[in-house]
Amino acid sequence: HSRLGRRLAQLSGQLFGSLAFRRWLRACTRLEPRSAGKAEVRRFRPGLDYTVAAQADHIAPGFADLDVTLILVPVGTEERWGSEEIGGFESYLAADDDKNETVEAQEVYRGTEDEGPLVNVPAAPNTLSLVMRDAQTLRFVKYVSRDAPSSRVDIAACYPVDAPEGSSGEEAEEEGGL
């Protein structure tokens, strides 16, 4: 596992931090990464790991983050991971509108039964996901069940970008801040 971690760390730095990769992201998304971004190698083990839903508190009004995640799980496990029954998927949720409460991290996801995630990105072999989110969007990886066929390994990177016209990040700026 340590050799895999070192190789993924190399890939993270050499690919995800490169100017060529940022140019490719711009070509794919029409969003201009404003910096080299921040990337981390993560491993989620069955029955042990998850992340807490967290708001990107560093996103200023008028800006957004482009989340880029390279997901690595074994080939042949697509159906199990895709069912979402074993967790391990990355989920994006709208933050609570309660102004009296900070939304830096929420372990309890409130809302009506009609409200759900904005998007769930299931783990799949050798998959690259691109998701733009504003400051009012929470992101987390769901607990990986002990019944999962393997660990979920990924390289997760975050690039600051200008919020496109009509996005909630831009609307918040027009209203005088978040």
Side-chain angles (χ1 to χ4, degrees):
H1 292 288
S2 65
R3 196 171 93 202
L4 173 63
R6 284 193 304 275
R7 294 254 168 105
L8 289 175
Q10 276 182 319
L11 178 64
S12 170
Q14 292 175 355
L15 175 63
F16 282 60
S18 73
L19 179 58
F21 188 70
R22 291 194 309 274
R23 286 181 181 155
W24 181 81
L25 288 174
R26 185 172 143 249
C28 289
T29 65
R30 297 189 179 164
L31 298 170
E32 180 76 48
R34 302 179 66 76
S35 74
K38 179 185 172 195
E40 65 179 325
V41 176
R42 309 182 301 180
R43 178 177 172 218
F44 299 92
R45 299 163 297 173
L48 296 172
D49 300 317
Y50 63 96
T51 61
V52 174
Q55 181 177 2
D57 58 355
H58 62 275
I59 300 176
F63 294 95
D65 271 351
L66 177 60
D67 293 332
V68 178
T69 308
L70 175 62
I71 304 164
L72 304 166
V73 294
V75 173
T77 61
E78 298 89 340
E79 192 172 318
R80 298 269 325 269
W81 286 109
S83 73
E84 296 183 1
E85 292 175 8
I86 55 173
F89 55 87
E90 192 147 34
S91 190
Y92 291 84
L93 300 169
D96 288 342
D97 289 330
D98 187 353
K99 302 291 183 197
N100 298 323
E101 178 183 353
T102 62
V103 207
E104 291 176 3
Q106 286 182 248
E107 291 191 53
V108 177
Y109 315 111
R110 293 180 291 278
T112 67
E113 287 185 17
D114 296 335
E115 295 175 345
L118 300 171
V119 65
N120 285 339
V121 181
N126 305 320
T127 303
L128 183 71
S129 71
L130 307 173
V131 177
M132 189 205 71
R133 66 180 167 123
D134 61 20
Q136 292 302 104
T137 304
L138 302 171
R139 169 191 187 194
F140 70 98
V141 174
K142 177 76 172 169
Y143 171 78
V144 179
S145 164
R146 64 183 172 85
D147 297 328
S150 67
S151 290
R152 171 201 161 116
V153 177
D154 66 31
I155 300 173
C158 183
Y159 300 89
V161 296
D162 293 325
E165 284 186 41
S167 71
S168 59
E170 187 173 272
E171 293 165 11
E173 181 180 32
E174 291 170 4
E175 294 170 5
L178 294 175

